[in-house]
Amino acid sequence: MKKTFLTGLLITTSLCLSSTANADDIFSALAKTYTSNPTLQSQRAYLRSVDENIAIAKSGYRPNLSLQGSFREGENKVKKGVGQGSDYNSLSGAAVVSQPVFSGFSTVNSVKAADRAVKAAQNNLFNVEQNILLEASTAYLDVLQNRAIVELQKNNEELLQKKLDETVERFKVGEVTRTDVSQAEARHSQAVSDRIASEGNLQSSVATYIELIGEEPKDLSEPVYMKIYLPASYDEALNIALKSNYSIKEAQHLYASKGYEVYANTGALFPSISLDGSIGRNKAEQGEIDTTTENAEWGVNLNIPLYTGGATRAKIRQSKYQKWQAQEGVLEAKRAVKAAVLSAWEYMKSNESQLKAIADQISANTIALEGVQKEEALGNRTILDVLDSYQELLNSKVNDVKARRTYYVSAMNLLASMGKMTAKELKLDVELYDAQKYYKETKGKWLSLN
């Protein structure tokens, strides 16, 4: 019976994050997240709204066209003097065009500022994408971990029930004491409690999985292939991060945008020139007199600002401070990335070493349990010693499951800090969102409402 118990123990506690034939691997789960996550979809919509700032800025190059018209009707009355009153009415219409010629370089710098702001928003979208995929992968690993722990706890409960039954039978024939039975009962009750707690953790992680990925988890598998995306050294990881991290790129584009905004606001101090023209017709009736006139004119308008109440200069000063702020933002982003890479790298490597140590611990605990069971059979150990040894082996198995989850999470945090946790870099089986395509379409639109 003891041999059967040990055999069952070794089999059930060997559960780990393993693959199954019909497993829903982490890459397919991330692909579903990429195509359906509402947070990511909403950020894409926001980016397309930012794209419109290009068209808004370019409107400073384009003509303004308008049709103007008026109708008036009235009556003139003579109160004193010679003459009679009369009714009158007038109808006029005109087509007016105004083409900006020079605006102190405000328009050209506004377009450049908007362009860099769009690029900053594009990099922010990649950041959001990485964060969502990182959250989804963490949720995936949480479900995988908690399912394995539930299975361990269920089997733990079953085996301790068998051990309790065995102890009760031995008590009946006088081989063990009532204390031994109570100890076995206490361990079984603890196993029930641990199993219930682990099932609660599993349900919580499943809820998060559904929220992020959009469907219930099926057969999940350990993402062993994730390792092929990892860098060989810390220096390699840091160099890639400083070149590819999207937070740094976003901050750099935002800094450039704020620089162009300074020039755009300064342009308000310069003269502006526009070419204006109009074609109109006016028809007036007063008494028996009917007059129709047509006119066409064009001209050049020059505006030289002298003083605008201080608002223009205040905007210039404000934009300079914002540029300064953005410059510090670049430095802050670089420091944050260096810290993130170092933290993720060290955490990943420590987890890697921890996995090796836990493997040795499992091996040692397995041998120790077998020895304690043999010694207990000879009367040199108590049932409590067996239960303690078994609990140590179970704990090491649970720690192995948790350490595997933590290792992969730290690895994916490292990839995110390097700018490699995107659908493109992970080669997900999806149609990639082409932000550049929408940007090009938007900046050339003149009349469309879509």
Side-chain angles (χ1 to χ4, degrees), residues 102-110 260-272 303 305 312 316 319:
F102 179 72
S103 58
F105 304 107
S106 289
T107 299
V108 64
N109 287 301
S110 292
Y260 286 122
E261 285 184 8
V262 173
Y263 296 138
N265 289 331
T266 303
L269 297 175
F270 291 87
S272 61
N303 179 47
T312 300
I316 294 171
S319 59

Side-chain angles (χ1 to χ4, degrees), residues 407-418:
Y407 168 76
Y408 286 111
V409 169
S410 61
M412 287 181 289
N413 272 288
L414 178 62
L415 289 176
S417 67
M418 295 165 56

